[in-house]
Amino acid sequence: MRDDLQDIVDEVSRLLGAPATLEDPDFTLLAFCAQGEGALTGLDAVRTRSILTRGSPAATRRWFTDFGIDRATAPLRTPADPAAGILTRLCLPVRHRGRLHGWLWLLDEGRTDLDAADPPGLAAAVALADRAGALLATRPAAGDPSADLAAALAGDDTAAGRLGAALGARTPVALVALHPADPGLPAGWAAPGAGAVAAVVGDAVAALVPLPHRGDTRPAVALSAAALQRLPAGSTAGVAAARTGCGELRRQWSEASDAARVAAVDPALAPVASWAELGAWRQVVRLDGPDPAFAALLADPVLTRTAEVWLDRAASPQRAAAELVVHRQTLYYRLGRIAELTGLDLSDGGDRLALHLAVRSARLAAAPGRGALGSWAS
């Protein structure tokens, strides 16, 4: 979110040709843009203090709120106060569905004429303020454990420590990754489960579930099943291996996210997959993708499916032919074509392993990606 907010502030600053800051309703600085080389010179004391301290004193906050910025729904201008070292500002309210999430401030020296029919760049800047409001609407309230969970999954060890202290340092926990089939969550959606801590992470949802002991992940599986009932069909969930305390949340998030990915492509594991039951999929999900050497084979869906079924059935021609509903001679012909296209010796265990990894990796790569923490997690 921080990068997205910074991009918005940078673009608003460019559109209106002025230094810009983004603050939340508590006047906490979230992002700023100096707007050009040397633009930090000549700024007023309020903006300088805001950048240096990430906030503003109570007197400054009252000065601005007296102009109605907390009630504003459209751009407005606050006047200068030379005696206090305050320059005139353009204020863009940052709202989402009517709720105030902060303001975008621009030190534009009065250049933007709010009385004009269509001030240059203003409409686009207002649209970006609305975008910032939508992003900030997903931010948990201060003091909410979900804020610590989201921060911990982004690498904040201090937040992980607070979570661990709140749950108990010796409490066994499992982490669940919920991947909705469609982007976004239904209105009013909330993760079920007493005692669980949930946070939106990208297009996924993380849920931290306390366990009775490390060997019993049933509460996490039950939460996953209940949560999926409230999500669109085709959504999946993954459950990480249990840990004691919150010191390995990043690793658990990687495991849970990978398990949810596999659940989306392997019906035998859908819709809730646990890291512990992934088997060979554990190696596949850590690959960057299928080996390019298998491109010719993977371009043929019939031969790719034949290879996967044959390998999944322990290279048994009888079982593979039955599942594919083809004559055994047809299967032998296809296997011959697979050997020709790949140059593999299908009687060799190492070659069969390479082929199996390639076809499974291709299936995973073809599934819709619903990322969080980068591609998934690192």
Side-chain angles (χ1 to χ4, degrees):
M1 181 188 295
R2 286 191 295 267
D3 291 342
D4 290 340
L5 293 175
Q6 185 62 58
D7 289 344
I8 288 173
V9 172
D10 290 346
E11 181 61 12
V12 169
S13 182
R14 187 194 66 80
L15 285 167
L16 297 179
T21 56
L22 173 63
E23 294 179 332
D24 69 11
D26 294 323
F27 287 77
T28 299
L29 182 68
L30 303 177
F32 73 94
C33 177
Q35 217 284 318
E37 185 177 354
L40 284 173
T41 61
L43 298 182
D44 68 1
V46 170
R47 185 172 191 270
T48 302
R49 186 188 305 113
S50 175
I51 292 172
L52 293 176
T53 67
R54 312 296 293 184
S56 299
T60 300
R61 297 198 295 268
R62 284 195 301 271
W63 195 88
F64 284 105
T65 55
D66 283 346
F67 293 104
I69 62 170
D70 53 345
R71 301 184 301 275
T73 57
L76 74 159
R77 184 169 295 286
T78 59
D81 184 351
I86 298 175
L87 301 177
T88 184
R89 280 167 164 72
L90 175 63
C91 175
L92 305 182
V94 174
R95 293 182 176 273
H96 181 65
R97 296 179 178 175
R99 181 179 176 184
L100 180 69
H101 290 283
W103 304 275
L104 273 163
W105 298 98
L106 292 112
L107 287 171
D108 68 342
E109 301 176 348
R111 290 189 300 273
T112 305
D113 184 1
L114 298 183
D115 294 326
D118 186 16
L122 184 61
V126 169
L128 287 168
D130 292 340
R131 170 62 181 154
L135 286 171
L136 290 172
T138 67
R139 189 177 65 162
D144 187 338
S146 61
D148 282 335
L149 178 57
L153 296 180
D156 187 334
D157 292 337
T158 302
R162 287 194 298 266
L163 271 178
L167 293 175
R170 304 305 299 169
T171 300
V173 297
L175 194 62
V176 172
L178 300 167
H179 292 166
D182 299 325
L185 294 171
W189 188 92
V197 178
V200 176
V201 183
D203 291 332
V205 176
L208 184 64
V209 185
L211 305 174
H213 54 82
R214 280 188 60 160
D216 186 2
T217 59
R218 287 177 298 177
V221 175
L223 179 144
S224 301
L228 290 175
Q229 291 180 0
R230 307 180 188 182
L231 293 174
S235 300
T236 60
V239 180
R243 305 287 202 287
T244 299
C246 297
E248 296 186 63
L249 290 179
R250 288 277 292 178
R251 183 178 295 275
Q252 285 181 283
W253 182 238
S254 178
E255 293 175 356
S257 294
D258 286 341
R261 290 178 67 198
V262 173
V265 300
D266 190 338
L269 296 172
V272 181
S274 296
W275 175 254
E277 67 181 352
L278 291 190
W281 279 110
R282 292 192 194 182
Q283 284 70 47
V284 175
V285 294
R286 299 301 164 87
L287 297 175
D288 292 333
D291 187 334
F294 291 90
L297 169 66
L298 299 176
D300 187 321
V302 173
L303 292 182
T304 300
R305 170 67 177 157
T306 298
E308 186 171 25
V309 170
W310 178 67
L311 291 164
D312 284 346
R313 298 298 169 263
S316 166
Q318 182 176 357
R319 294 170 61 194
E323 182 165 336
L324 292 167
V325 195
V326 297
H327 193 277
R328 200 175 304 181
Q329 287 302 120
T330 300
L331 175 66
Y332 289 139
Y333 169 76
R334 292 182 184 177
L335 292 175
R337 287 286 299 133
I338 291 169
E340 290 176 10
L341 285 173
T342 61
L344 297 177
D345 177 0
L346 297 186
S347 66
D348 180 82
D351 282 3
R352 288 204 301 271
L353 175 60
L355 178 60
H356 211 169
L357 289 173
V359 295
R360 282 200 169 187
S361 182
R363 181 163 28 139
L364 197 64
R370 294 183 292 274
L373 295 182
S375 58
W376 279 97
S378 57

